[in-house]
Amino acid sequence: RVLLAAVFVLAGGMKLAAVEFEVQGFAQFGYAPWFMYAIGVLELGAGSALLFRRSAAPAALVLGVVMVGAAASHLRAGDGVLLALPALVLLALLAIVGAARRDDLPAAR
C-alpha cells in the first residue's frame, strides 16, 4: 500500500504542478485542462488514503476507476496496449488492495 500510495501521490502532484508531459497528455486525449487538475486531486487524496487501513479499500476503488479511465484514454487515442499497460498493472494492484481490505467498505459492515 505504501508503494502504491507513493506512486499516486507523485502522479497527482505532477498533475497539480502542471508538469509539461501531463499537460500534453491530457491535451492529446482531448480533455479540458481542469480535468487534469481534478484527476490530480483524486490521485493525491486517494493515494494518501491508501496509507490508512480503514480508507484503503474505498481509495483503491476510486483509483481503480481512474486507472480504467486512463487505460481507456490511451486505447481510445490509439496509443496501444503498451502505453495502457502501466494503468492496467496499477489497476490489478489496486484490486488486490481492495480485496484485502474489502471488510472495511461500508456495505461490508
Side-chain angles (χ1 to χ4, degrees):
R1 285 192 338 238
V2 173
L3 182 58
L4 273 176
V7 166
F8 284 106
V9 167
L10 178 63
M14 291 185 344
K15 287 171 183 69
L16 293 176
V19 172
E20 187 60 32
F21 85 88
E22 293 286 2
V23 173
Q24 289 176 354
F26 275 77
Q28 174 192 344
F29 296 146
Y31 297 133
W34 67 265
F35 190 66
M36 178 184 69
Y37 294 108
I39 296 299
V41 167
L42 284 174
E43 288 179 342
L44 189 64
S48 298
L50 284 173
L51 295 172
F52 303 97
R53 295 182 71 176
R54 304 237 352 141
S55 60
L61 181 61
V62 168
L63 291 167
V65 170
V66 171
M67 290 301 97
V68 167
S73 294
H74 280 291
L75 295 173
R76 190 173 42 112
D79 289 340
V81 176
L82 281 180
L83 289 179
L85 190 60
L88 296 172
V89 169
L90 288 170
L91 177 61
L93 294 172
L94 289 164
I96 293 168
V97 170
R101 302 299 316 159
R102 69 184 172 276
D103 291 339
D104 292 331
L105 289 170
R109 292 183 196 162

